[in-house]
Amino acid sequence: MIGKKNMGRASPLFLLLLVLGFFFATYNLLTMVLHNRRIEGGGVDDGAFSKYFDPLNQMPRKVKDAKLPFHVALTATDAPYSKWQCRIMYYWYKKMKEMPESDMGGFTRVLHSGSPDNLMDEIPTFVVDPLPAGLDRGYIVLNRPWAFVQWLEKATIEEEYILMAEPDHIFANPLPNLAHGRNPVAFPFFYIKPAENEKVIRKFYPEEKGPVTDVDPIGNSPVIIKKVESSLPFYLSLMEKIAPTWMNISLTMKDDPETDKAFGWVLEMYAYAVASKIAWCAAYSWKRFYATGLVLLPEEAFPPWDLEVGKRFIIHYTYGCDYSLEGKLTYGKIGKWRFDKRSYLGVLHQETLFAPPGVPESVVTLVKMVNEATANIPGWEAE
């Protein structure tokens, strides 16, 4: 009798576990089938699952159709070099935000100078403290994760989602929210190679966490991610959990000579990739499923390497554009014609830039967008 009573009491728990087990088994099977039915460089094929998933970003159609505004946040310094980029970026944000296809919400420049500057009235800005003097070891990018930690703790952010962006981003097309729930989207950078740096990565991502190949080739920007997913277990929370982990790993990596030498100027990007994985982020991919079933991306154009902008969402002008007057690329050598953000460490003066004939569409578009912004932003030369 006692045995039967105990069995009866245990049955609801057993049934719950059985249901959960069936759910996860079905989910994993569906994920595996979708992964194996992909088209290289494209979305899900035209088979039975295509009617449920958008062929462009592979997101469930009902999810994609929902309006999920995201808050645009970029960290910045008060240096003139950072200011002129932020002003151009904000100009194009305002234009693209108003387009029907856009899911852009509010905007914040997270200024990690510790004090207000002269752009407070022009660009919505939240001032946070820089790292204590000397802690960044001359690597100012370490202020980025610390800035996000402070902003997330102190600011009121109406949107559930955040796009982490950078000053040298220009919105070339209206950007929809490609993220959903605990599934953020990010950009895969060819120079972030966790598998080729396994020895170093293992210092911060122990073996019990999984294979190094699970660490995605991303940085913190551009990433669209939810602030926190309260409906999920605590270990699946998102940005509010990732940010302090990202900050701590960044500082620890910088303090380790081997890691600092291996990762150099992209150290903070590696730190975000590791922190994101430790926080158990999963994501829908952009264009294709990765082997991990994770992350990837709002598309970017990188002039001069990407020859056209097309439908890409962001122009990221991180590389210098050097050309002869005949339109021949002279990368690695200063050209007779150039547009390189590093040429304007002080002020980008208001002038009309003309790209020579023969340069790719991406460079022409970049120059035109810079020209339009500087010509229409009030008080441009005052900065």
Side-chain angles (χ1 to χ4, degrees):
M1 290 290 289
I2 294 175
K4 288 183 179 178
K5 284 183 180 179
N6 286 340
M7 237 168 71
R9 289 172 186 166
S11 60
L13 177 60
F14 174 76
L15 289 173
L16 176 62
L17 292 174
L18 187 64
V19 169
L20 287 174
F22 177 77
F23 169 79
F24 284 114
T26 304
Y27 174 82
N28 289 334
L29 177 61
L30 177 60
T31 301
M32 183 173 63
V33 170
L34 288 173
H35 173 66
N36 290 331
R37 293 172 64 90
R38 65 182 180 174
I39 299 174
E40 186 62 28
V44 178
D45 65 19
D46 293 328
F49 291 100
S50 61
K51 65 180 179 180
Y52 300 110
F53 287 82
D54 185 89
L56 181 62
N57 60 18
Q58 300 174 346
M59 187 176 289
R61 290 186 183 277
K62 288 184 179 179
V63 171
K64 178 181 178 291
D65 293 339
K67 194 73 174 176
L68 299 170
F70 57 85
H71 194 98
V72 179
L74 73 155
T75 54
T77 73
D78 59 359
Y81 172 70
S82 177
K83 287 180 179 179
W84 69 255
Q85 294 176 51
C86 289
R87 298 179 81 187
I88 292 174
M89 197 265 201
Y90 184 59
Y91 173 87
W92 285 104
Y93 152 80
K94 289 189 292 183
K95 294 198 72 169
M96 296 301 164
K97 180 180 185 293
E98 300 307 317
M99 294 191 174
E101 302 88 350
S102 171
D103 284 332
M104 295 175 178
F107 185 103
T108 300
R109 179 181 61 137
V110 185
L111 180 63
H112 51 77
S113 64
S115 58
D117 65 5
N118 62 335
L119 295 183
M120 303 294 290
D121 293 333
E122 180 178 330
I123 305 175
T125 300
F126 192 92
V127 180
V128 297
D129 293 325
L131 289 167
L135 194 58
D136 64 9
R137 297 175 179 262
Y139 181 51
I140 196 169
V141 183
L142 286 183
N143 284 283
R144 182 177 294 155
W146 173 222
F148 271 109
V149 168
Q150 296 174 82
W151 180 61
L152 289 165
E153 286 181 350
K154 300 175 182 178
T156 301
I157 307 162
E158 293 183 2
E159 297 84 358
E160 289 186 85
Y161 293 83
I162 296 168
L163 165 65
M164 293 184 284
E166 296 181 24
D168 63 351
H169 288 175
I170 292 178
F171 292 110
N173 286 293
L175 177 58
N177 186 353
L178 302 173
H180 177 69
R182 67 182 181 96
N183 302 98
V185 285
F187 187 89
F189 293 93
F190 71 90
Y191 49 78
I192 302 298
K193 302 176 180 178
E196 293 183 15
N197 293 278
E198 181 167 6
K199 180 184 175 184
V200 177
I201 291 288
R202 279 301 183 206
K203 295 182 179 183
F204 313 94
Y205 189 72
E207 290 189 11
E208 58 266 25
K209 292 290 184 181
V212 167
T213 51
D214 282 356
V215 178
D216 296 291
I218 63 173
N220 82 290
S221 174
V223 168
I224 303 177
I225 187 170
K226 201 170 186 181
K227 286 181 297 184
V228 63
E229 183 52 81
S230 58
S231 64
L232 294 170
F234 72 93
Y235 56 84
L236 294 181
S237 61
L238 295 181
M239 194 58 209
E240 290 184 354
K241 180 179 181 182
I242 293 173
T245 306
W246 170 32
M247 180 189 70
N248 291 332
I249 291 177
S250 295
L251 293 171
T252 306
M253 282 185 171
K254 187 64 181 175
D255 203 42
D256 180 73
E258 182 184 19
T259 306
D260 190 21
K261 182 179 179 180
F263 293 160
W265 66 276
V266 294
L267 178 148
E268 167 266 341
M269 296 174 69
Y270 272 100
Y272 181 84
V274 171
S276 178
K277 189 61 186 176
I278 287 175
W280 249 67
C281 274
Y284 295 104
S285 63
W286 173 255
K287 278 196 169 181
R288 61 192 179 278
F289 281 100
Y290 260 45
T292 55
L294 301 181
V295 187
L296 310 161
L297 90 137
E299 268 200 49
E300 296 190 25
F302 289 88
W305 300 123
D306 288 317
L307 301 183
E308 60 181 35
V309 175
K311 294 183 179 180
R312 290 181 170 93
F313 299 120
I314 295 171
I315 298 176
H316 189 177
Y317 53 103
T318 188
Y319 301 111
C321 302
D322 287 276
Y323 290 88
S324 69
L325 296 181
E326 293 72 40
K328 182 180 178 181
L329 180 65
T330 63
Y331 193 76
K333 178 183 178 182
I334 295 177
K336 292 291 184 180
W337 182 91
R338 74 178 334 219
F339 180 79
D340 187 342
K341 64 180 183 179
R342 297 162 193 82
S343 299
Y344 307 97
L345 296 179
V347 177
L348 173 64
H349 291 290
Q350 185 175 331
E351 56 182 306
T352 303
L353 303 170
F354 292 100
V359 303
E361 182 268 346
S362 62
V363 177
V364 173
T365 300
L366 169 61
V367 168
K368 285 182 177 179
M369 296 184 83
V370 169
N371 285 341
E372 179 179 332
T374 58
N376 289 282
I377 295 174
W380 179 263
E381 290 292 345
E383 179 46 50

Coordinates of all heavy atoms in Angstrom, one line a residue, residues 19-33:
V19 N 6.8 15.1 -20.4 CA 6.4 16.1 -21.3 C 7.6 17.0 -21.7 O 7.8 17.3 -22.9 CB 5.3 17.0 -20.7 CG1 5.0 18.2 -21.6 CG2 4.0 16.1 -20.6
L20 N 8.4 17.4 -20.7 CA 9.5 18.3 -21.0 C 10.5 17.5 -21.8 O 11.1 18.1 -22.8 CB 10.2 18.7 -19.7 CG 9.4 19.8 -18.9 CD1 10.1 20.0 -17.5 CD2 9.3 21.1 -19.6
G21 N 10.7 16.3 -21.5 CA 11.7 15.5 -22.3 C 11.2 15.4 -23.8 O 12.0 15.5 -24.7
F22 N 9.9 15.1 -24.0 CA 9.4 15.0 -25.3 C 9.5 16.4 -26.0 O 9.9 16.4 -27.2 CB 7.9 14.7 -25.2 CG 7.2 14.6 -26.6 CD1 7.4 13.5 -27.4 CD2 6.4 15.6 -27.0 CE1 6.8 13.4 -28.7 CE2 5.8 15.6 -28.3 CZ 6.0 14.5 -29.1
F23 N 9.3 17.5 -25.3 CA 9.4 18.8 -26.0 C 10.8 19.1 -26.5 O 11.1 19.5 -27.6 CB 9.0 19.9 -25.0 CG 9.4 21.3 -25.4 CD1 8.6 21.9 -26.3 CD2 10.5 21.9 -24.9 CE1 8.9 23.2 -26.8 CE2 10.8 23.2 -25.4 CZ 10.0 23.9 -26.3
F24 N 11.8 18.8 -25.6 CA 13.2 19.1 -26.0 C 13.7 18.1 -27.1 O 14.4 18.5 -27.9 CB 14.1 19.0 -24.7 CG 14.0 20.2 -23.8 CD1 13.5 20.1 -22.6 CD2 14.4 21.4 -24.3 CE1 13.4 21.2 -21.7 CE2 14.3 22.6 -23.5 CZ 13.8 22.4 -22.2
A25 N 13.2 16.9 -27.0 CA 13.6 16.0 -28.1 C 13.0 16.4 -29.4 O 13.7 16.4 -30.4 CB 13.1 14.6 -27.7
T26 N 11.8 16.9 -29.4 CA 11.2 17.3 -30.7 C 11.9 18.6 -31.2 O 12.1 18.7 -32.3 CB 9.7 17.6 -30.4 OG1 9.0 16.5 -29.9 CG2 9.0 18.1 -31.7
Y27 N 12.2 19.5 -30.2 CA 12.9 20.8 -30.6 C 14.2 20.5 -31.2 O 14.6 21.0 -32.3 CB 13.0 21.7 -29.4 CG 13.8 22.9 -29.6 CD1 13.3 24.0 -30.2 CD2 15.2 22.9 -29.3 CE1 14.0 25.2 -30.5 CE2 16.0 24.0 -29.5 CZ 15.4 25.2 -30.1 OH 16.1 26.3 -30.3
N28 N 15.0 19.6 -30.6 CA 16.3 19.3 -31.1 C 16.2 18.6 -32.4 O 17.1 18.8 -33.3 CB 17.1 18.4 -30.1 CG 17.4 19.1 -28.8 OD1 17.6 20.3 -28.9 ND2 17.6 18.4 -27.7
L29 N 15.2 17.7 -32.6 CA 15.1 17.0 -33.9 C 14.8 18.0 -35.0 O 15.3 18.0 -36.1 CB 14.0 16.0 -33.8 CG 13.6 15.2 -35.1 CD1 14.9 14.4 -35.6 CD2 12.4 14.3 -34.9
L30 N 13.8 18.9 -34.7 CA 13.5 19.9 -35.7 C 14.7 20.8 -36.0 O 14.9 21.1 -37.2 CB 12.3 20.8 -35.1 CG 11.9 22.0 -36.0 CD1 11.3 21.4 -37.3 CD2 10.8 22.8 -35.3
T31 N 15.4 21.2 -35.0 CA 16.6 22.0 -35.3 C 17.6 21.3 -36.2 O 18.2 21.9 -37.1 CB 17.3 22.4 -33.9 OG1 16.4 23.2 -33.2 CG2 18.5 23.3 -34.2
M32 N 17.8 20.0 -35.9 CA 18.8 19.2 -36.6 C 18.3 19.1 -38.1 O 19.1 19.2 -39.0 CB 19.0 17.9 -36.0 CG 20.0 17.0 -36.6 SD 20.3 15.5 -35.7 CE 18.7 14.7 -35.8
V33 N 17.0 18.8 -38.2 CA 16.5 18.6 -39.6 C 16.7 19.9 -40.4 O 17.1 19.9 -41.5 CB 15.0 18.2 -39.6 CG1 14.4 18.3 -41.0 CG2 14.9 16.8 -39.0

